[in-house]
Amino acid sequence: MDHSQQAHIHRVLIASANPLFGKGLQKLYGERWGKNAVEFILASSMGETLAKLDSWQPDLVIVDYDDKTIHREEFLSHFIAGDRPMQVVLVSLQASGAVVVYDRHTLTPAQAENWLNDQWQQPSEPKSAQRSAPMKGNVKHLVIAGLLVVVSTFILYFLLANIGLLPVVASTQAITIDRLFNAHFFFIALLFSLIMVFIGYSLVMFRSKRGEQADGAYFKGNNTLEIIWTIIPLGTVLAFSFVGARNLAETRVAEPQALNVTVTGFQWAWVFDYPDYGITSRELVLPVDRQVLLSLTSRDVIHSFWVPEFRVKQDALPGENLVKQLRINPNRIGEYKLLCAELCGGAHANMNAVVKVVSKADFEAWVSKEVSANLTDPVARGQKWAENNGCISCHSLDGSKLVGPTWKGAAGEEVTLADGTTVLSDDAYLLKSIVEPNAQIVEGYPASVMPGTYSQLLTDEQINDLIAFIKTVK
Ligand code: CUA
């Protein structure tokens, strides 16, 4: 011990009406530091305490927490008004021998000595400086736990994203939905890590040592923490609802050339009607990269249309006024399974249907096959081909002049061509006009307007049907 420290005798004012309180503390301090290093004064009343505070100017004031005659507020306001830095602690001596220092910790006698030791090291330091040591420890724990949270989040997110929780993506709606799913996976990983890492870290790091009997620190509340843990989840939920609403709108964008299909559910099967083609099918066949507008209805109870690969889902409700719509843009050729996603009775689990997403050509071929199976009359079939292939948007059926000549009365007539010659409009002429449209241009019509591709688009049988139909337009 050097000279200057020896010269300074620490002055401790003990305020308590109970003489045993002062004696007990005096003994603790005396044993630790020796009688010559510390000077004690006992004050047994409020007035005495304040008088000693002014006249004697102690380094440390110890107030008996359990003594109701010492008014702590009055004492502290007097103390704060003074200009000398001092330390004040509220102490309660308990029958067990423990020293309770309020607003701090419950200490065992051994720990109390260490704590007293700390008090003497820096007797006149301001209070904030005393706090710096535990604060540094807290920051260290927070940094370590924070890093563990980050590592755990990324590992969990990687696992969630790679264990195949989501089926294959077969529609553009699925891309949108999966974006949300992935955001949710990330937050699930983050929240799980946030909770589990802090619990696990605390279990390991703050475990009580062998023989340790003391209580943990007492916290009455932490406004900052409570505000943070209210605002962050609130903001997260609001952000998700906003993103969710936008994504929902994105999955419902309507395209004008959507294929119409009416879906009817009943106990326990599905049936699909294609009103544009007059087809009724037990399989849902869809062309790739073209939007389908499903109109869903039910004959009996509530069913639900769900193809997991398309992600979107919609109930099919009984009742003519309750037709629900669902838009899907299939973007992957393949065969999928339609499931009923609403418990609808005994065979609900078997209420499945085959969904085929096929190329445009395969879809056209399927339509042709279905339609020709439906229609035995070549004229009726021909009309269907004319409608489905856009013929009648250029060739009117009522004699009006569109891009090409009208079909009304076109067959069996003498036709004047652009070169001035005439030709009889027989089957051979009509056939040539379809498969080789620029060979003979009718007078008054521009050349090279009609595509020369119908010989590939249509089968010979379909062309024969078309000719049969044209001959009936009178
Ligand atoms: Cu229909 Cu379940």
Side-chain angles (χ1 to χ4, degrees):
M1 198 181 274
D2 70 35
H3 185 74
S4 65
Q5 265 183 306
Q6 207 169 19
H8 183 73
I9 297 171
H10 292 292
R11 285 181 287 198
V12 180
L13 173 63
I14 300 173
S16 173
N18 179 1
L20 287 177
F21 179 86
K23 291 222 169 83
L25 278 180
Q26 222 170 326
K27 186 160 172 283
L28 262 175
Y29 273 62
E31 276 169 7
R32 184 75 180 84
W33 292 95
K35 291 213 163 78
N36 295 333
V38 193
E39 195 180 334
F40 292 98
I41 285 192
L42 305 181
S44 58
S45 72
M46 190 70 216
E48 201 183 336
T49 305
L50 295 183
K52 288 286 190 306
L53 201 60
D54 292 335
S55 62
W56 196 54
Q57 304 243 317
D59 297 301
L60 175 68
V61 183
I62 301 175
V63 179
D64 184 354
Y65 182 84
D66 302 312
D67 185 350
K68 298 289 180 280
T69 66
I70 309 289
H71 303 292
R72 268 174 269 143
E73 278 74 25
E74 193 185 331
F75 173 78
L76 283 172
S77 61
H78 186 88
F79 167 71
I80 288 162
D83 55 357
R84 194 160 175 275
M86 274 181 284
Q87 288 185 58
V88 179
V89 281
L90 300 173
V91 169
S92 173
L93 286 186
Q94 301 199 320
S96 65
V99 178
V100 180
V101 179
Y102 283 88
D103 298 322
R104 285 176 180 270
H105 309 279
T106 305
L107 304 171
T108 61
Q111 287 173 316
E113 266 193 57
N114 288 339
W115 175 76
L116 292 173
N117 184 10
D118 289 344
Q119 297 298 310
W120 289 115
Q121 296 295 331
Q122 305 167 311
S124 55
E125 282 288 306
K127 238 185 161 187
S128 61
Q130 298 167 32
R131 288 268 166 92
S132 66
M135 274 305 284
K136 270 180 199 156
N138 286 344
V139 169
K140 189 190 83 181
H141 288 307
L142 271 177
V143 167
I144 294 172
L147 285 174
L148 288 173
V149 167
V150 171
V151 170
S152 164
T153 300
F154 279 95
I155 291 174
L156 275 175
Y157 177 62
F158 179 79
L159 288 175
L160 284 173
N162 286 284
I163 55 174
L165 289 176
L166 296 171
V168 95
V169 170
S171 75
T172 59
Q173 284 78 10
I175 298 169
T176 308
I177 301 289
D178 283 8
R179 213 160 51 212
L180 264 187
F181 263 121
N182 285 323
H184 276 107
F185 287 157
F186 180 79
F187 269 89
I188 287 166
L190 175 64
L191 286 176
F192 183 84
S193 303
L194 207 56
I195 294 164
M196 299 314 286
V197 164
F198 274 93
I199 289 178
Y201 188 84
S202 302
L203 281 175
V204 173
M205 297 303 291
F206 305 122
R207 207 175 179 77
S208 62
K209 311 283 181 299
R210 186 180 287 274
E212 199 173 50
Q213 299 286 314
D215 297 337
Y218 171 70
F219 294 99
K220 207 166 178 188
N222 189 328
N223 285 343
T224 315
L225 193 60
E226 284 167 21
I227 289 168
I228 289 173
W229 79 37
T230 305
I231 284 181
I232 290 179
L234 182 68
T236 308
V237 168
L238 287 177
F240 262 108
S241 59
F242 175 73
V243 173
R246 276 185 45 162
N247 282 17
L248 181 64
E250 209 175 295
T251 64
R252 292 182 169 182
V253 169
E255 289 175 14
Q257 76 286 18
L259 170 71
N260 283 298
V261 178
T262 302
V263 179
T264 308
F266 52 92
Q267 288 169 319
W268 287 277
W270 300 94
V271 66
F272 309 98
D273 287 297
Y274 294 70
D276 299 341
Y277 302 101
I279 296 172
T280 299
S281 170
R282 300 300 292 270
E283 285 181 354
L284 180 58
V285 179
L286 300 172
V288 72
D289 296 331
R290 179 179 172 191
Q291 187 173 78
V292 57
L293 171 58
L294 302 173
S295 300
L296 297 125
T297 181
S298 164
R299 282 184 209 158
D300 36 48
V301 299
I302 300 174
H303 304 276
S304 185
F305 179 98
W306 186 39
V307 179
E309 289 81 1
F310 295 158
R311 301 292 191 276
V312 285
K313 187 197 278 179
Q314 178 64 57
D315 279 1
L317 309 173
E320 277 175 21
N321 302 324
L322 294 171
V323 174
K324 292 283 166 190
Q325 295 197 316
L326 184 62
R327 290 179 185 272
I328 295 167
N329 289 54
N331 65 354
R332 183 178 180 279
I333 290 174
E335 195 169 312
Y336 312 104
K337 197 180 191 181
L338 163 60
L339 309 170
C340 177
E342 185 74 55
L343 187 59
C344 56
H348 152 75
N350 299 327
M351 192 173 157
N352 306 322
V354 173
V355 178
K356 284 178 181 162
V357 176
V358 299
S359 68
K360 278 194 170 70
D362 287 350
F363 180 72
E364 291 301 330
W366 176 78
V367 167
S368 303
K369 201 177 108 250
E370 292 294 313
V371 169
S372 51
N374 284 352
L375 300 172
T376 47
D377 175 15
V379 174
R381 290 199 303 257
Q383 181 172 10
K384 200 61 78 186
W385 309 142
E387 286 162 1
N388 291 353
N389 291 285
C391 305
I392 52 181
S393 52
C394 294
H395 303 282
S396 77
L397 303 178
D398 59 4
S400 57
K401 186 177 170 179
L402 300 177
V403 176
T406 181
W407 282 356
K408 188 181 182 189
E413 305 271 291
E414 282 286 327
V415 178
T416 308
L417 300 178
D419 60 8
T421 59
T422 58
V423 63
L424 176 69
S425 175
D426 54 7
D427 285 11
Y429 166 80
L430 290 173
L431 173 64
K432 199 169 185 187
S433 298
I434 294 170
V435 301
E436 224 183 303
N438 295 311
Q440 297 167 306
I441 301 296
V442 177
E443 188 184 31
Y445 290 90
S448 306
V449 170
M450 179 163 154
T453 51
Y454 287 102
S455 56
Q456 287 111 59
L457 283 175
L458 301 170
T459 63
D460 291 350
E461 207 175 85
Q462 285 175 319
I463 291 171
N464 289 337
D465 293 341
L466 259 182
I467 293 169
F469 170 66
I470 292 169
K471 289 199 286 191
T472 66
V473 186
K474 290 266 172 355

